[in-house]
Amino acid sequence: MLQADSLTAPQAAEPAAWQAQADTLQADTIVPPTLRPWQPDSAEADSAVLGVGHYIPRSYFGYDSLPHPGYGDSPYGVAGELVPKAIGTDNVVTAALLACFIIGMAAVSGSRRFVAHQAKNLFRPMREAATGDTETSAEVRLQLILALQTCVVAAIAYYSCTLGSDPAWFSTRPPSFFVGVFAAVFVAYAAAKAAAYTVANTVFFGRRRNLLWLKFALFVAAAAGVLLFPVVLLRVYFDLSVAGVAWSVAAILAAAKMLTLYKCFAIFFRRKGGFVQIILYFCTLEIAPLATLWGLLVATGNLLKQNF
């Protein structure tokens, strides 16, 4: 009896049928375009999620949507709100404040005689102040650095009280970016003001009086930055109120302007005795530039809000 040959001719292949349920013991299987791997029933199938020929790996969690977050019906949980970076946690701002602290301590500890001498010159007659003036180049450079520190500290104070405290405004840029922009505004204001003083005083009062005035203005700017530094620290790291910062800045600014008015009278108008002239001089070169600075800061803040 002849046995049938085990090798028979190939039979016609049956049409492939999509699997409605995954076989976890087999290899990867094509998932039909109308079914999701975690929904074997076609009642809630969505053909827009999976295309024809998309492979889903077989696993124990084949019907769970968690291993396939890209195919889920809806995201799990709720979307969180982005919280703006606090200025106290910015590394650049912290490094700047630390540098300001080190520079201020070095200035106070190493220049006590110079500070005492300048404080005495505030209320001395112009002739005695001019003859007793013994500033060195190192002391002048130190005052320039402290004046630059004043611009940085003032920029931090302004940002923390305006953009940094606005809950309706958010930006992906770090706080150091905005502090740098405001510091550039303060530096430009100081440079323009010094240029205006130089031109006006040289033309009307002479070079010698202008030099005395610039030295006094530089000392006042440096001292204002040293006095403003603790207020900024309280605002950045101890959440001092905006009103507290405003009153502190107003007190420092008022003291500086009163000293400026007195020194303006002592250097330029003591002999002439012109009350109208000193008021015009003070309003033109002190009050008007200060109002211009405030307008520039407000306009810069609005531009930063719109663009960033």
Side-chain angles (χ1 to χ4, degrees):
M1 182 177 181
L2 296 177
Q3 297 181 355
D5 191 0
S6 59
L7 298 176
T8 59
Q11 299 178 358
E14 297 181 358
W18 296 108
Q19 295 185 5
Q21 185 174 359
D23 185 4
T24 58
L25 300 178
Q26 300 296 330
D28 296 350
T29 306
I30 299 177
V31 179
T34 58
L35 296 179
R36 300 183 184 182
W38 56 88
Q39 292 179 351
D41 298 334
S42 60
E44 300 178 358
D46 186 5
S47 60
V49 178
L50 295 178
V52 179
H54 190 88
Y55 288 86
I56 297 299
R58 299 297 185 183
S59 65
Y60 179 76
F61 303 98
Y63 298 108
D64 192 357
S65 62
L66 294 178
H68 311 285
Y71 307 131
D73 291 332
S74 61
Y76 291 89
V78 295
E81 295 182 358
L82 296 177
V83 179
K85 295 182 179 179
I87 188 173
T89 59
D90 189 272
N91 294 331
V92 178
V93 174
T94 302
L97 290 175
L98 182 60
C100 292
F101 174 76
I102 295 174
I103 293 173
M105 292 300 295
V108 173
S109 61
S111 303
R112 294 180 180 178
R113 184 187 63 83
F114 169 73
V115 173
H117 175 70
Q118 290 292 334
K120 291 179 181 179
N121 283 342
L122 292 177
F123 303 99
R124 292 171 64 181
M126 189 196 62
R127 290 184 179 180
E128 297 181 8
T131 55
D133 192 7
T134 58
E135 288 187 13
T136 62
S137 59
E139 292 171 345
V140 174
R141 287 195 298 268
L142 181 60
Q143 290 182 86
L144 288 174
I145 295 175
L146 289 177
L148 182 62
Q149 170 186 326
T150 303
C151 297
V152 176
V153 173
I156 296 175
Y158 183 80
Y159 169 78
S160 63
C161 294
T162 54
L163 298 183
S165 61
D166 188 1
W169 178 75
F170 173 78
S171 176
T172 57
R173 295 295 183 94
S176 57
F177 171 77
F178 303 100
V179 171
V181 173
F182 288 125
V185 174
F186 278 103
V187 171
Y189 162 77
K193 186 177 178 181
Y197 270 132
T198 302
V199 172
N201 295 338
T202 303
V203 171
F204 295 102
F205 304 105
R207 183 178 179 182
R208 175 169 165 269
R209 293 174 183 267
N210 177 62
L211 183 61
L212 287 175
W213 177 259
L214 289 180
K215 289 182 179 180
F216 164 77
L218 184 61
F219 175 75
V220 170
V226 175
L227 295 177
L228 186 60
F229 181 73
V231 180
V232 174
L233 287 182
L234 292 176
R235 171 61 184 171
V236 172
Y237 296 106
F238 298 96
D239 199 17
L240 181 64
S241 64
V242 177
V245 176
W247 281 108
S248 301
V249 172
I252 296 173
L253 192 61
K257 294 306 177 184
M258 285 190 293
L259 285 176
T260 301
L261 181 62
Y262 169 76
K263 202 64 177 180
C264 176
F265 171 76
I267 294 178
F268 300 122
F269 300 98
R270 178 179 291 273
R271 291 184 179 180
K272 297 180 181 181
F275 178 77
V276 178
Q277 289 85 346
I278 190 174
I279 294 300
L280 290 176
Y281 179 88
F282 186 78
C283 292
T284 304
L285 295 179
E286 286 293 334
I287 304 302
L290 191 61
T292 304
L293 173 63
W294 180 257
L296 287 175
L297 291 174
V298 173
T300 303
N302 293 332
L303 289 176
L304 291 176
K305 283 185 178 181
Q306 295 176 2
N307 298 325
F308 300 99

